[in-house]
Amino acid sequence: MRQSSLVVVANRLPIDDSQAPDGACEWRRSPGGLVSALHPLLRHTPATWVGWAGGTGPAPALPDVDGVRMHTVALSPEDLRDHYEGFANATLWPLYHDAVEQPQHHRRWWEAYQRVNQRFAEATAEVAEPGGVVWVQDYHLQLVPGLLRAFRPDLRIGFFLHVPFPPPELFMQLPRRAELLRGMLGADLVGFQRVQAAHNFAQLVTRVLELPATDRRIGVDDRVVRIGAFPVSIDTAEMGALAARPDVAARARRLRQDLGDPRQVILSVDRMDYTKGIEQRLKAYSELLATGDVKVRDTVLVQVAMPSRERVGQYQILRERIEREVGRINGEFGRVGEPAIHYLTQPFDRAELAALYRVADVMAVTPLRDGMNLVAKEYVAARVDDTGALLLSEFAGTAAELSQAYLVNPHDLEGLKQGLRAALRASPADVTQRMRAMRAHLHEHDIRAWARSYLRALDEGGALVGRLSSTDTNPDGVARVPRPATAPTASPATHQAGG
Ligand code: ADP
Ligand code: G6P
């Protein structure tokens, strides 16, 4: 088994099995913020990525992608149901997002969570060089740091949570709260998106485990675990370069024509998730249409909603509700050849997304709760001519950084409508002033700055930082690699073309 000095461990691998338009087999970058952040960062580094390839059955042997080794972990149908769809996405995900949907608790799910975390820890131990660095990602794998430390104390272990970490009164609902906290404390450094999350964690550790904790350090046995906020970002230069490409600019012009040359285009790009506030946004838009504040010929809304976690009941119900509402709004306000909402559920490559960002006069990013929200950052990075209004939820981690956006509370329907109206009617000078400030921030705080600050803190010397690549040769994020001998069995939980 080949070993690496840097191992990234995440539930999902950065690539998805998908079909190219010419029918060829392609592995494409998986949507979702975690992959968008880490994939450009790790390209051309001698790292190994341990993760799940989607589907069930034996783990397929994947070739390296952009120089990064792919080490797959298999999930059985029961693991998929009870670990991924169950404990990860029907217990932890809703609980960590303010319980906007009811978290469910089943003992069988917890068993699967432990089992799958154990499997990831074992797979990681196999591929990590002696004394190497392991960087564990996100809520699916909170037990991995503790399990790994038990049999590989030589490793330096980092953990980063991409989603919010909830306040104590919510986390305390978890029947296995102590085990989850202990699992995370197996790391040398526990990173969060926001300072408040680190504070919540320190409070919980004190309360549940009775350990001495501040918002920066926690004493565990004879070790010190450091904690802190490291807001994740994007490859700002990559998105800027992509958006500035002449073919992307031409594509944006063509898109505008195809949309009927409206005066203003509003865009939203989300995974179809109840945390994203899609229903609230549609309601606000529909009320603006009803009052005549927004007119169909003048303005169009493009809503990209990529289906996600499709076998989980709450996601199925959400999709039905959204599609019914889009149908109702188009039926009521659209005209022949002029729908009020262009609704798209397909995956797009990076160049097409960049063209969409370029065509959007207003970008509406209004989640009810979001760890960060990289779509908002991608939009800003793509606005190379300093135009475009970003309507942003106060409840997205991004709002702490992009405070010059038009900020709204998505729970407040009137406030949401007012924010949308303000963004649509803003003066070009105001829009440009705000956009320039946000672009300057993202120029400094890009994905490499994030990785540098995290890895420096983990490494306490910074030698690791030099192992990351600084160039990018594949901005489209499409890796054409031969299909492996054993292809993973397709499952509705994978991101496939059309869902
Ligand atoms: P989350 O991680 O919750 O999905 P983020 O906004 O942080 O939310 O990240 C979403 C990522 O997925 C972004 O990089 C975005 O460009 C990408 N994405 C969203 N929808 C699509 C789509 N339809 N096709 C391709 N990529 C998408
Ligand atoms: C969020 C999570 C990631 C996850 C992504 C896509 O960004 O923080 O861990 O990979 O959503 O969700 P999925 O369930 O398809 O992996």
Side-chain angles (χ1 to χ4, degrees):
M1 181 67 64
R2 290 188 300 175
Q3 293 192 319
S4 295
S5 56
L6 174 61
V7 180
V8 165
V9 194
N11 181 62
R12 211 175 253 294
L13 285 172
I15 49 170
D16 257 350
D17 190 6
S18 59
Q19 194 108 70
D22 60 5
C25 293
E26 229 173 37
W27 290 87
R28 206 173 269 264
R29 178 148 112 187
S30 325
L34 184 153
V35 167
S36 293
L38 290 171
H39 187 219
L41 189 70
L42 292 174
R43 270 182 215 150
H44 313 297
T45 63
T48 295
W49 187 313
V50 177
W52 170 57
T56 54
L62 300 187
D64 296 358
V65 173
D66 292 334
V68 181
R69 291 177 197 160
M70 299 288 119
H71 188 75
T72 35
V73 175
L75 293 193
S76 69
E78 294 72 35
D79 298 332
L80 181 74
R81 186 190 63 206
D82 296 342
H83 165 76
Y84 171 75
E85 295 168 348
F87 199 80
N89 286 314
T91 305
L92 294 181
W93 179 270
L95 188 82
Y96 285 13
H97 288 87
D98 286 354
V100 293
E101 284 287 344
Q102 184 65 39
Q104 295 165 39
H105 302 283
H106 297 289
R107 281 167 288 186
R108 200 182 63 228
W109 290 1
W110 170 248
E111 282 158 24
Y113 189 76
Q114 288 175 288
R115 177 171 78 232
V116 172
N117 272 253
Q118 178 74 32
R119 198 173 310 142
F120 269 84
E122 283 167 10
T124 306
E126 271 180 50
V127 297
E129 229 172 67
V133 170
V134 171
W135 196 2
V136 184
Q137 313 287 324
D138 234 355
Y139 59 100
H140 316 80
L141 301 176
Q142 278 173 228
L143 303 180
V144 168
L147 292 165
L148 194 55
R149 178 167 298 280
F151 47 88
R152 286 293 303 273
D154 59 298
L155 298 172
R156 186 157 281 275
I157 304 171
F159 179 82
F160 185 78
L161 189 71
H162 290 252
V163 299
F165 191 76
E169 54 277 22
L170 276 178
F171 191 85
M172 290 300 281
Q173 288 179 16
L174 280 169
R176 311 310 287 256
R177 57 204 184 192
E179 284 98 321
L180 284 165
L181 294 173
R182 252 186 243 115
M184 291 163 82
L185 288 174
D188 296 292
L189 174 66
V190 180
F192 299 94
Q193 302 276 25
R194 303 192 61 171
V195 174
Q196 182 62 46
H199 177 69
N200 292 345
F201 183 69
Q203 282 203 315
L204 277 157
V205 163
T206 312
R207 188 153 148 192
V208 177
L209 303 180
E210 297 178 3
L211 291 172
T214 69
D215 289 3
R216 302 176 76 94
R217 283 162 184 270
I218 298 170
V220 188
D221 308 325
D222 54 350
R223 298 186 300 125
V224 171
V225 176
R226 276 163 312 130
I227 61 176
F230 303 85
V232 75
S233 196
I234 58 160
D235 192 334
T236 312
E238 177 213 62
M239 181 48 84
L242 198 56
R245 251 170 40 184
D247 60 316
V248 172
R251 178 72 190 129
R253 282 194 295 275
R254 179 72 203 280
L255 277 169
R256 195 163 200 108
Q257 278 170 10
D258 291 348
L259 291 168
D261 263 327
R263 210 167 52 78
Q264 286 189 301
V265 176
I266 307 170
L267 173 69
S268 287
V269 176
D270 308 280
R271 253 184 331 95
M272 183 119 44
D273 196 295
Y274 48 80
T275 60
K276 302 292 181 183
I278 303 172
E279 288 185 279
Q280 288 76 359
R281 195 186 305 143
L282 290 179
K283 188 158 177 48
Y285 188 61
S286 136
E287 290 197 8
L288 289 176
L289 285 167
T291 52
D293 281 289
V294 169
K295 296 196 176 59
V296 166
R297 215 163 261 166
D298 240 29
T299 307
V300 296
L301 169 63
V302 179
Q303 172 68 63
V304 177
M306 170 88 175
S308 180
R309 307 174 191 165
E310 290 178 82
R311 298 198 315 182
V312 179
Q314 288 159 334
Y315 287 76
Q316 290 169 351
I317 294 168
L318 176 79
R319 183 170 185 173
E320 280 164 23
R321 292 215 307 238
I322 287 175
E323 298 197 339
R324 199 175 318 131
E325 187 61 4
V326 169
R328 183 192 71 77
I329 296 172
N330 278 337
E332 205 164 314
F333 300 103
R335 295 154 193 262
V336 174
E338 287 178 344
I341 302 172
H342 292 255
Y343 172 70
L344 301 158
T345 57
Q346 305 139 42
F348 293 110
D349 64 27
R350 306 297 295 164
E352 186 72 3
L353 273 180
L356 279 166
Y357 292 142
R358 280 205 66 162
V359 97
D361 305 290
V362 174
M363 182 81 205
V365 181
T366 57
L368 302 176
R369 175 62 74 191
D370 212 329
M372 177 53 61
N373 198 290
L374 296 184
V375 163
K377 291 189 172 182
E378 288 170 357
Y379 175 68
V380 170
R383 302 302 299 188
V384 286
D385 58 1
D386 294 337
T387 61
L390 175 64
L391 183 74
L392 181 62
S393 164
E394 292 165 10
F395 297 93
T398 328
E401 292 179 76
L402 302 183
S403 54
Q404 300 84 0
Y406 296 86
L407 293 176
V408 285
N409 170 4
H411 301 273
D412 168 14
L413 191 60
E414 284 308 317
L416 193 50
K417 284 162 61 181
Q418 218 174 336
L420 198 49
R421 262 198 313 256
L424 284 166
R425 292 178 188 165
S427 72
D430 185 39
V431 163
T432 295
Q433 193 187 15
R434 290 169 184 252
M435 186 51 79
R436 279 205 183 121
M438 293 191 287
R439 287 177 58 76
H441 175 87
L442 281 192
H443 182 71
E444 289 291 311
H445 299 88
D446 68 353
I447 189 63
R448 288 192 176 80
W450 172 72
R452 267 199 302 273
S453 68
Y454 185 91
L455 292 177
R456 271 205 190 110
L458 176 62
D459 206 24
E460 283 177 313
L464 246 180
V465 174
R467 292 184 209 159
L468 296 172
S469 72
S470 57
T471 53
D472 192 356
T473 52
N474 183 13
D476 285 350
V478 177
R480 265 182 182 267
V481 295
R483 182 182 284 277
T486 350
T489 318
S491 110
T494 60
H495 295 293
Q496 290 158 350

